[in-house]
Amino acid sequence: MLVIKEIEVLGKYLSKQRELGNSIGFVPTMGALHEGHIALIRASISAHDTTVCSIFVNPTQFNESSDFDAYPSTISADIKVLEQEGCQVLFLPAVDEIYPKEKYQKPSFDFKGLDLAMEGAFRPGHFQGVGEVIKRFLDVLDCDCMYLGEKDFQQVLIIKSVVEQCGFPVKVIPVPTQRASSGLALSSRNLLLGEEYLDVAPEIYQSLLHVKENFNGENLDTLLADASNRINATNKLKVEYLTAANAKTLAEVKQEVPEEVVICTAVWAGKVRLIDNIVLAN
Ligand code: AMP
């Protein structure tokens, strides 16, 4: 596997791939790779001649510097995993490479409200940061498809909007959330969980599942309250939000229940913030 650190080198390598007629898949990550990331890598490898995985902990999408500083890094293990999977290129840029101090104009996006709810409400500036890094990548990273996890449901819609706003000819492919056998969504942040939190964290998905299994089109408010109470009743987990939104627009569900509803939640497990979601059909 090629490990490329400079944007220019990556751009040249990819134009060569284009000349050879190769299709290109892209999997952006922040590293500390787990089976969730690997599902994206496999989806890309099975569909493209060349797969580029990026590992870049993007400072502009962190609204808390302590969260950025604590973000896990397991680069040598990540390289081994990518090699075993048969990934062709790892793009591993430094912060200055992505955000050069000179000659760099910060973009601004209009997400038409997609960025205001849920993660956007609790992490101000987060999605502008996500948009910024994705634009920076796609300006040079000429790929056919980009693979994203449904675990970050709102992020998928935001990135689709970036692709549309910038007119990138890239198809965004969402991949289902990979979970531990307990149901806990796999996440790099799980590495930061102490045992006392790991024991109760599966309650998050179990509570979402309870909503899905008992939803009858009319009882959403009660089910959402039950799910929040159930998570908080662990006495170790604390719900930040647990909201029902229109799965297409992310508008909060009030009286009228749309055809497809997504229940998204963010939960504090001590100092670690976990997110998860589930989609219900009405
Ligand atoms: P991250 O490294 O957390 O920024 O994630 C990189 C990509 O992997 C994003 O598209 C995530 O949505 C995706 N991802 C993270 N965890 C999972 C998971 N458990 N299942 C599927 N995709 C995931």
Side-chain angles (χ1 to χ4, degrees), residues 4-280:
I4 298 181
K5 297 191 171 180
E6 291 88 21
I7 282 186
E8 218 182 292
V9 176
L10 181 67
K12 281 193 183 136
Y13 173 82
L14 292 179
S15 0
K16 262 271 166 56
Q17 297 303 304
R18 286 291 186 217
E19 280 165 25
L20 295 169
N22 287 343
S23 73
I24 298 164
F26 174 40
V27 181
T29 82
M30 298 203 297
L33 301 183
H34 50 67
E35 289 291 331
H37 299 113
I38 291 169
L40 311 188
I41 301 278
R42 287 187 182 157
S44 174
I45 288 177
S46 68
H48 301 280
D49 304 301
T50 302
T51 289
V52 180
C53 172
S54 64
I55 296 183
F56 179 64
V57 184
N58 173 32
T60 69
Q61 73 187 67
F62 283 80
N63 49 323
E64 301 268 354
S65 58
S66 55
D67 187 23
F68 176 72
D69 293 339
Y71 201 83
S73 170
T74 58
I75 288 292
S76 12
D78 292 352
I79 290 178
K80 266 197 202 129
V81 167
L82 291 172
E83 277 177 340
Q84 269 164 13
E85 291 298 323
C87 180
Q88 283 82 10
V89 182
L90 166 61
F91 180 44
L92 189 61
V95 172
D96 286 355
E97 184 67 17
I98 298 298
Y99 304 120
K101 294 203 171 68
E102 291 150 23
K103 287 195 270 170
Y104 174 67
Q105 178 103 38
K106 227 176 174 36
S108 161
F109 300 97
D110 178 4
F111 293 119
K112 305 208 162 42
L114 286 174
D115 57 333
L116 299 180
M118 304 187 294
E119 287 303 279
F122 288 92
R123 301 186 67 186
H126 170 64
F127 287 125
Q128 287 292 333
V130 169
E132 182 178 16
V133 75
I134 291 297
K135 175 173 183 325
R136 195 74 184 110
F137 283 157
L138 293 184
D139 276 340
V140 279
L141 216 153
D142 170 20
C143 56
D144 299 286
C145 297
M146 183 164 40
Y147 293 82
L148 303 173
E150 282 173 355
K151 174 175 170 273
D152 297 274
F153 193 92
Q154 194 170 7
Q155 177 170 274
V156 173
L157 296 185
I158 289 282
I159 293 179
K160 279 185 176 167
S161 168
V162 171
V163 165
E164 200 184 295
Q165 288 181 57
C166 300
F168 291 121
V170 175
K171 192 165 174 209
V172 171
I173 308 209
V175 176
T177 303
Q178 306 297 303
R179 301 179 178 280
S181 55
S182 63
L184 176 64
L186 298 179
S187 163
S188 305
R189 286 191 167 87
N190 293 355
L191 291 174
L192 306 173
L193 290 176
E195 212 158 294
E196 52 171 332
Y197 295 111
L198 269 176
D199 285 349
V200 289
E203 249 333 279
I204 302 169
Y205 183 61
Q206 296 310 329
S207 303
L208 293 178
L209 210 51
H210 184 263
V211 175
K212 185 175 172 103
E213 284 164 357
N214 292 280
F215 177 56
N216 64 12
E218 289 169 1
N219 55 352
L220 204 47
D221 285 349
T222 316
L223 290 174
L224 293 182
D226 287 352
S228 278
N229 291 337
R230 187 170 157 176
I231 296 168
N232 288 332
T234 60
N235 287 327
K236 300 227 170 74
L237 304 173
K238 197 162 179 346
V239 172
E240 188 168 71
Y241 66 80
L242 194 148
T243 314
N246 180 314
K248 296 217 162 61
T249 63
L250 297 186
E252 195 177 341
V253 175
K254 296 208 172 116
Q255 297 298 327
E256 214 163 294
V257 181
E259 224 167 86
E260 235 193 358
V261 181
V262 61
I263 314 291
C264 295
T265 188
V267 174
W268 286 97
K271 292 193 168 132
V272 182
R273 190 171 178 278
L274 302 174
I275 61 169
D276 203 349
N277 65 77
I278 202 163
V279 174
L280 331 174

